[in-house]
Amino acid sequence: MKKLLVVDNSKLIINFIKDSFYQNHEFTLYSARNFEESKTLIEEHNFFAALTNFVLSDALNGELLKLLKHNNIPTVVITAKIDNSVLNIMRSVNVVDYISKNSMIELESACKLVKLLTFIQNIEVLVVDDSPVVVEKIKYSLESLLLKVHKAKNGIEALSVLEEKPKIALIVTDHNMDKMNGLDLIKSIRKSQLHSSIPILIMTTSNNNDLKIQFFKNGATDFLLKPVLEEELKSKIINIFSDIKQMDDIENFTKVLDDHVISSRCDEHGIITHVSKAFCNITGYSKNELIGKSHTIFRHPDMDTSIFQDLWNTIKSGNTWKYEMKNLKKDGTTLWLNTIIQPNLDRNNNITSFTAIREDITDKKRIYELSITDSLTSLYNRRHFNELAPSLIENTLRDNNIFSFVILDIDNFKKYNDNYGHQEGDNVLIEVSNSLKKSFQRSSDIVFRLGGEEFGVLIKSKSEEDTIKIVEKARDNIESLNIEHKLNTPKKVITASFGLSIIKMKKSKVDLDYIYKKTDDALYEAKDTGRNKISIVYI
């Protein structure tokens, strides 16, 4: 961690600077109120930089700056007074920069500059000019910013240095030079893939607008008029590296998001326009396989179409949609994602696209599914039925659909266990379960093992006829398994009796116990009147 010396007469300013660095873990701050306290701290510590007032109670004429220069401590000066005498002293010790302390905004700029020094320290730059005096003057200024400076006399030599020093991150060049001038140097650099985006500051004695246009249109980043004002040079370079740091921070943050956040973006029609690396990793698809495709590529058949209708209705109205989605990976396995989808708006608040952020909850869902799944048949158990049924019935009836509940029971199953053994009885339960899964394949139909040889089915349909037809088919499919059961007369194969309740009542709250009892009564009516049949009750 780097050590920063903060010196000011004002405790308020010292506290402001400390607050500015509070969440920055690159620095440990040491504060002093005068020259003597500063001198003691300098003797005890090796400071990376100093942020100090020019005038102190015991050092009115910048004496601390000379001490800091003597100890090779880069210094940012904050001062309420800027005149020629102050400027001459600061330039003589080559401070990093000086900033007015007349407002908190300017103080914050001073703090940002100190933080920037950690980023630009030892960054390589190239100064190109055929005047050794000019080169040394610029080199002196740039080294105060902790930059590592390389030199060249003309454009040809600059290209050679660039080839030898590929890490050079900034060029300051004169225009009027022998062999290759600054404009031709810019043109050559912009043709190189390695240095096509490197910032270039060009200097000239001419303030001709046509020449400036040539500079900028051929790739100059900025322009400096000779003789170069040191403050202008530093200001432009600080701004350039501040922008570079900001872009680096954004790129690094974006990379973290891309690597670790399961995200995607789609257009108004649901066509994928962007996916993160994490999204590809977890789904098994490459970006090329996903861009331009619909999100339906991940849709699991268990997800009811009404969920997606609600999704689009919500986000197209400008609201955020949240849901735990069951998806399909490329290899066909299940992936559970806690999904948040939010619309993206332009300046006129028009929806332009949608962004989705997801969290992998597959393991959590697996644990939960174990708790709501019957271990023998892999059907949902009674616990899940109790959790799911009330809301499912209410939502179905509210949408003016017909809701039905089935309880079915394998006929004479106790006799089967007694005659064929419990292992064979378990096999029958599995076979019947698989038959029910095939009979009720729609995503809106949910099958449960309620206990023993008793099963339940929640059915959503558009008509009574449709429901009765599906249930009759399920009954027939069980009989068609043709599993021998000699004690189940008259068919002498495994059969099942069904109680079917067709629910039409529209109450504010569904009485599940009442529905269950009525359906169970219908089941026993089916058993009492011959078995292997369906008894219907209307609620």
Side-chain angles (χ1 to χ4, degrees):
M1 191 173 288
K2 293 177 171 61
K3 295 180 180 181
L4 174 65
L5 176 62
V6 179
V7 188
D8 198 274
N9 304 305
S10 167
K11 189 174 181 180
L12 177 64
I13 289 177
I14 289 176
N15 287 337
F16 177 87
I17 293 171
K18 285 182 176 179
D19 288 343
S20 178
F21 283 88
Y22 177 71
Q23 292 184 325
N24 189 305
H25 302 296
E26 291 183 272
F27 291 95
T28 300
L29 268 64
Y30 296 81
S31 62
R33 301 281 296 278
N34 53 52
F35 179 89
E36 287 303 320
E37 288 180 9
S38 303
K39 183 178 178 182
T40 300
L41 288 172
I42 291 169
E43 291 170 354
E44 295 174 351
H45 299 281
N46 182 22
F47 287 104
F48 167 76
L51 182 53
T52 179
N53 195 348
F54 182 86
V55 177
L56 301 173
S57 60
D58 54 352
L60 301 176
N61 298 306
E63 290 86 351
L64 179 58
L65 302 187
K66 297 174 184 177
L67 178 63
L68 292 166
K69 172 68 174 176
H70 178 75
N71 286 274
N72 297 314
I73 301 173
T75 304
V76 176
V77 179
I78 50 176
T79 177
K81 178 183 179 183
I82 301 175
D83 57 23
N84 286 334
S85 62
V86 171
L87 287 175
N88 289 334
I89 293 172
M90 289 192 293
R91 286 170 178 165
S92 70
V93 296
N94 199 24
V95 299
V96 174
D97 204 357
Y98 57 90
I99 296 172
S100 170
K101 60 181 291 187
N102 292 327
S103 75
M104 293 304 180
I105 293 175
E106 290 165 314
L107 283 175
E108 184 59 41
S109 296
C111 295
K112 287 180 179 178
L113 177 54
V114 173
K115 296 169 188 176
L116 182 66
L117 290 178
T118 64
F119 174 75
I120 66 177
Q121 184 182 22
N122 293 324
I123 284 181
E124 297 181 52
V125 299
L126 174 61
V127 178
V128 189
D129 199 299
D130 54 9
S131 168
V133 174
V134 172
V135 169
E136 288 304 318
K137 181 180 178 182
I138 293 175
K139 180 175 181 287
Y140 183 71
S141 295
L142 299 187
E143 286 178 340
S144 73
L145 294 172
L146 309 188
L147 296 167
K148 184 177 180 180
V149 181
H150 300 285
K151 300 180 288 183
K153 296 185 184 71
N154 53 57
I156 298 294
E157 189 175 317
L159 292 175
S160 178
V161 174
L162 278 173
E163 190 173 340
E164 295 173 7
K165 307 289 183 182
K167 291 185 178 180
I168 287 174
L170 173 73
I171 298 170
V172 181
T173 181
D174 188 22
H175 171 55
N176 296 308
M177 298 179 294
D178 294 335
K179 296 185 180 180
M180 179 184 282
N181 64 30
L183 181 57
D184 290 336
L185 174 61
I186 292 172
K187 292 177 181 178
S188 296
I189 291 171
R190 291 306 182 220
K191 291 177 183 177
S192 165
Q193 187 173 1
L194 182 61
H195 300 293
S196 60
S197 60
I198 188 171
I200 303 174
L201 292 176
I202 189 161
M203 306 176 290
T204 181
T205 55
S206 173
N207 200 19
N208 182 282
N209 285 335
D210 291 337
L211 184 59
K212 288 180 184 178
I213 290 171
Q214 289 295 315
F215 290 154
F216 289 124
K217 290 302 179 182
N218 283 282
T221 306
D222 212 335
F223 168 86
L224 287 164
L225 189 64
K226 281 186 166 183
V228 173
L229 181 66
E230 181 181 6
E231 286 79 1
E232 183 182 10
L233 172 66
K234 285 188 175 182
S235 176
K236 290 180 185 293
I237 288 177
I238 288 168
N239 287 338
I240 286 171
F241 282 117
S242 293
D243 290 343
I244 292 173
K245 183 180 185 302
Q246 186 176 38
M247 290 303 299
D248 279 3
D249 289 343
I250 291 171
E251 287 177 9
N252 291 335
F253 185 68
T254 301
K255 186 179 185 304
V256 171
L257 294 180
D258 190 53
D259 288 346
H260 301 288
V261 178
I262 307 165
S263 64
S264 67
R265 186 168 58 250
C266 70
D267 64 17
E268 299 160 276
H269 308 291
I271 302 301
I272 300 169
T273 58
H274 170 80
V275 288
S276 67
K277 183 178 177 181
F279 189 100
C280 294
N281 290 340
I282 202 163
T283 61
Y285 289 95
S286 68
K287 287 192 177 184
N288 290 337
E289 290 175 309
L290 295 175
I291 303 299
K293 301 293 193 307
S294 169
H295 267 96
T296 55
I297 193 172
F298 313 110
R299 184 177 294 184
H300 198 286
D302 288 355
M303 298 299 290
D304 194 281
T305 54
S306 63
I307 295 171
F308 298 97
Q309 291 170 357
D310 178 62
L311 184 164
W312 281 107
N313 289 338
T314 301
I315 61 177
K316 283 192 171 182
S317 64
N319 296 314
T320 300
W321 186 83
K322 301 178 182 180
Y323 202 80
E324 292 184 350
M325 299 284 286
K326 191 175 185 180
N327 303 273
L328 283 177
K329 293 185 180 182
K330 183 179 179 180
D331 62 9
T333 56
T334 297
L335 173 66
W336 279 96
L337 296 171
N338 187 20
T339 303
I340 301 174
I341 303 177
Q342 181 170 309
N344 303 314
L345 308 177
D346 63 17
R347 293 181 180 178
N348 297 318
N349 287 327
N350 297 314
I351 295 174
T352 58
S353 58
F354 304 97
T355 297
I357 303 293
R358 302 168 177 86
E359 175 193 6
D360 181 11
I361 55 171
T362 304
D363 290 341
K364 171 186 166 185
K365 278 292 185 178
R366 282 174 181 159
I367 293 170
Y368 176 68
E369 285 190 346
L370 285 174
S371 72
I372 61 171
T373 302
D374 176 63
S375 59
L376 177 66
T377 63
S378 296
L379 296 176
Y380 288 127
N381 58 23
R382 179 65 177 268
R383 171 190 170 182
H384 193 46
F385 169 80
N386 292 336
E387 290 176 346
L388 189 64
S391 60
L392 197 59
I393 296 171
E394 286 178 10
N395 292 338
T396 303
L397 297 177
R398 187 166 53 244
D399 294 338
N400 294 317
N401 289 313
I402 294 174
F403 195 89
S404 302
F405 176 42
V406 171
I407 300 178
L408 63 113
D409 187 278
I410 299 174
D411 295 325
N412 291 311
F413 189 67
K414 183 178 183 304
K415 291 180 180 179
Y416 186 91
N417 273 337
D418 292 343
N419 190 47
Y420 294 92
H422 287 278
Q423 183 59 54
E424 287 300 317
D426 286 349
N427 292 337
V428 168
L429 292 173
I430 293 170
E431 289 293 327
V432 169
S433 298
N434 291 336
S435 177
L436 291 172
K437 290 176 188 176
K438 292 177 182 177
S439 299
F440 299 99
Q441 293 185 31
R442 301 179 306 179
S443 60
S444 57
D445 301 334
I446 306 174
V447 184
F448 304 84
R449 184 186 178 194
L450 299 176
E453 67 273 26
E454 191 171 83
F455 300 85
V457 188
L458 296 173
I459 306 169
K460 182 170 69 173
S461 61
K462 294 294 184 182
S463 68
E464 297 175 25
E465 293 78 11
D466 182 40
T467 300
I468 294 169
K469 182 179 178 180
I470 293 171
V471 176
E472 175 56 37
K473 182 65 175 174
R475 185 207 61 76
D476 184 62
N477 287 343
I478 293 173
E479 183 180 337
S480 297
L481 292 172
N482 205 28
I483 300 172
E484 180 186 286
H485 185 0
K486 294 178 180 178
L487 301 179
N488 186 38
T489 57
K491 297 289 185 177
K492 295 190 177 180
V493 294
I494 288 292
T495 60
S497 299
F498 288 69
L500 168 62
S501 59
I502 298 176
I503 305 159
K504 294 183 176 180
M505 64 177 184
K506 295 184 180 181
K507 296 182 178 179
S508 58
K509 187 174 182 180
V510 172
D511 188 341
L512 184 60
D513 291 338
Y514 175 77
I515 294 172
Y516 197 100
K517 184 178 184 307
K518 285 292 184 181
T519 311
D520 198 43
D521 289 344
L523 166 63
Y524 278 95
E525 181 181 338
K527 283 188 172 294
D528 291 343
T529 56
R531 295 190 178 87
N532 191 27
K533 62 190 298 187
I534 303 168
S535 179
I536 304 173
V537 61
Y538 292 90
I539 301 176

